[in-house]
Amino acid sequence: MKLELSRVVQGGYRLGVLREIGRASTSSLEVPGCLLYTRCGTVPHLTQDTLHTLSPLPSVTQLTLSTVAEHQEVLEEYKDGFKKFAGLHDTVLYCSLHDPLTPRPAGHVTNKTVSVWGSGGRIELTVGRFMALQKALRPDLYQSMADGETWQGDATSRKRLRKSVDRTLAHLDECLLIHQQTAELQGVEVLGVVEGGDSLEERLRSARETAKRPVGGFCLDGFQTGSMDGPLRTQLISAVAGELPEDKPRLLQGVGRPDEVVACVEAGVDLFESFFPFQVTERGCALTFDLDLSLDPERAGITPSTPVLELELGEELDETWQPERGRDAELEDGAETMTPFEMDLKDTKYRGDFRPLVEGCGCYCCTNHQRAYLHHLLVTNELLAGVLLMLHNTAQYTAFFRALRAALANDQLELFKTRVLRIKRVV
């Protein structure tokens, strides 16, 4: 696996291509970019045939160990790896430890074990069992075992943060030793995990020590949305990035909101998990990005009266946004977490709206259906609503990353933030 950078801004974003990914070394992924989020190898709401009506899709599929650990015996008996088992063709398989959207109780980590939470409850993993699972899954790259619980507490002690880093480094050393002795994992890349919570000292120590190991890239853990203030997160990521080698990718876990993604890209992150479209879909909402930066402001629908979020330099958008709602629409659980980048299709104002979700979007949903039909499917609890919304939201999210890369390449990042994110920096 080789990262070729075409553009690097000192202390900021990186633009390039991650080449020779996977055992066959034939796949590539543009950065900054995202992985394809799945649960047990399947994108929620979508069959493989339905998913592949979208193009292009991320070349790397994310599989979380928590969703497959309870099937270890079956996979070991199958012997041909998870990609063939699940019918995943023409994709690179990345195995992470936890599902970013599955809550997990804290307090179940020891010096020798970590716990994942599957449908049947808690599964305790030693390094030996963790590596046996990797041997059975045969991914193309995987995250090393790590103690990543520190981000869930409001007042994690310095001692606990130090222990988290020590444990994670010890797990990495054991994983690498077993990895080198396992024939089934030859040609597979290991991502070292950087921990340390909100401590700059521990973050830097974790980054420096992990960079000394023979890893293919780095997984930045503990920065999940809600774990810390946005400015602190970008400050820590920038500091960590300065300690990591430039030629290896950096994957950030638990961050998917578009405004947070852009802030983290500016801090030096390359790759993100793509769970955000699923979150939006589960809210009954559709992503509505304006990605055409070639339009003048008036043609793009931006006028002096268009709401623009003004942020102080270094500040991130982290407040929730309340959507406009019809008089007879009720606020449902989770709706308050909506972002400014989505429309609530349960709102009665869409009952007679016969436009596509987003003008110019080429997904199956926008090509064949209207907002009114999606509103009908949602209020009648039809399963097809989830299918169509997931198709659309996945298409919009991957298009968001393509537009972000184009903006970086053309020195249009500030225009991108103003037009797409509706954010204006105040210096």
Side-chain angles (χ1 to χ4, degrees):
M1 187 166 65
K2 182 168 55 176
L3 179 60
E4 297 179 357
L5 295 173
S6 58
R7 190 168 194 177
V8 179
V9 173
Q10 186 67 31
Y13 68 81
R14 292 139 56 91
L15 186 68
V17 181
L18 187 60
R19 300 191 185 278
E20 300 177 13
I21 319 173
R23 295 168 184 261
S25 298
T26 56
S27 298
S28 62
L29 180 65
E30 292 183 278
V31 299
C34 65
L35 314 180
L36 184 66
Y37 172 75
T38 73
R39 288 191 164 177
C40 210
T42 300
V43 175
H45 296 295
L46 304 180
T47 65
Q48 285 294 318
D49 288 342
T50 306
L51 173 66
H52 283 90
T53 62
L54 299 175
S55 180
L57 286 168
S59 59
V60 180
T61 297
Q62 179 182 7
L63 173 71
T64 52
L65 204 59
S66 57
T67 62
V68 296
E70 55 197 329
H71 307 300
Q72 181 176 355
E73 292 182 2
V74 175
L75 291 165
E76 288 177 337
E77 186 175 346
Y78 182 68
K79 292 183 170 43
D80 286 329
F82 188 83
K83 277 203 287 189
K84 187 174 180 181
F85 180 78
L88 301 177
H89 306 294
D90 302 321
T91 189
V92 173
L93 188 65
Y94 164 66
C95 184
S96 62
L97 189 59
H98 300 288
D99 187 310
L101 296 183
T102 301
R104 57 185 190 272
H108 295 279
V109 175
T110 70
N111 288 334
K112 297 294 183 182
T113 66
V114 300
S115 293
V116 296
W117 300 82
S119 59
R122 177 179 169 228
I123 304 167
E124 193 171 38
L125 300 177
T126 62
V127 170
R129 185 174 181 186
F130 174 86
M131 292 304 296
L133 275 162
Q134 301 301 337
K135 178 180 176 181
L137 293 169
R138 300 189 188 183
D140 295 287
L141 58 159
Y142 64 91
Q143 167 198 342
S144 176
M145 198 168 100
D147 173 7
E149 284 191 353
T150 54
W151 69 273
Q152 299 184 76
D154 292 330
T156 305
S157 68
R158 301 301 98 177
K159 180 179 178 181
R160 178 66 181 91
L161 295 177
R162 189 163 54 250
K163 185 179 289 186
S164 168
V165 172
D166 291 338
R167 285 173 174 171
T168 299
L169 290 170
H171 293 332
L172 175 58
D173 289 336
E174 290 185 70
C175 288
L176 289 171
L177 181 61
I178 298 174
H179 179 98
Q180 293 165 1
Q181 298 170 350
T182 305
E184 289 84 354
L185 295 176
Q186 297 306 304
V188 175
E189 298 282 359
V190 181
L191 300 190
V193 183
V194 176
E195 298 287 357
D198 60 359
S199 168
L200 177 59
E201 178 185 356
E202 291 303 320
R203 283 287 176 186
L204 294 178
R205 182 169 73 93
S206 180
R208 290 167 186 155
E209 291 299 320
T210 305
K212 295 177 182 178
R213 274 71 171 177
V215 296
F218 303 93
C219 191
L220 309 185
D221 190 27
F223 293 109
Q224 284 85 339
T225 296
S227 64
M228 62 181 68
D229 293 336
L232 175 60
R233 174 172 53 207
T234 52
Q235 177 189 356
L236 290 173
I237 290 176
S238 294
V240 165
E243 300 296 326
L244 300 178
E246 195 173 89
D247 61 344
K248 293 182 179 180
R250 305 146 184 183
L251 167 65
L252 181 62
Q253 296 189 142
V255 174
R257 272 184 56 142
D259 51 312
E260 295 179 340
V261 164
V262 172
C264 293
V265 164
E266 290 185 276
V269 173
D270 301 315
L271 297 171
F272 298 82
E273 300 168 314
S274 63
F275 55 84
F276 187 68
F278 180 52
Q279 286 183 308
V280 175
T281 298
E282 291 300 280
R283 289 196 282 269
C285 297
L287 289 171
T288 57
F289 294 119
D290 170 21
L291 299 175
D292 189 354
L293 301 187
S294 64
L295 296 178
D296 62 69
E298 290 188 3
R299 288 183 60 196
I302 299 178
T303 67
S305 61
T306 302
V308 176
L309 302 167
E310 292 194 355
L311 301 181
E312 297 295 333
L313 191 64
E315 183 184 3
E316 284 186 43
L317 172 67
D318 60 3
E319 70 270 20
T320 56
W321 173 76
Q322 297 294 336
E324 180 184 347
R325 293 176 170 271
R327 182 173 299 175
D328 57 342
E330 296 181 358
L331 184 65
E332 299 184 4
D333 290 341
E336 67 274 14
T337 61
M338 282 180 60
T339 64
F341 320 110
E342 44 192 290
M343 67 169 72
D344 180 9
L345 287 162
K346 299 185 296 297
D347 195 313
T348 54
K349 70 180 180 181
Y350 296 113
R351 187 164 48 194
D353 191 335
F354 300 105
R355 293 173 294 171
L357 299 183
V358 174
E359 295 286 351
C361 177
C363 76
Y364 177 87
C365 180
C366 289
T367 303
N368 294 279
H369 301 293
Q370 304 82 33
R371 299 176 182 184
Y373 182 57
L374 268 295
H375 170 81
H376 161 74
L377 293 177
L378 286 165
V379 298
T380 56
N381 295 317
E382 291 287 347
L383 295 178
L384 182 58
V387 175
L388 294 177
L389 281 176
M390 194 65 187
L391 273 173
H392 170 78
N393 290 331
T394 300
Q396 282 280 291
Y397 200 62
T398 54
F400 164 80
F401 276 95
R402 289 197 300 273
L404 173 58
R405 290 192 295 269
L408 295 176
N410 296 312
D411 290 320
Q412 292 182 310
L413 183 57
E414 292 306 316
L415 174 61
F416 179 89
K417 288 189 287 189
T418 303
R419 179 72 57 82
V420 179
L421 303 182
R422 301 287 196 269
I423 293 176
K424 181 173 69 176
R425 299 289 177 182
V426 180
V427 181

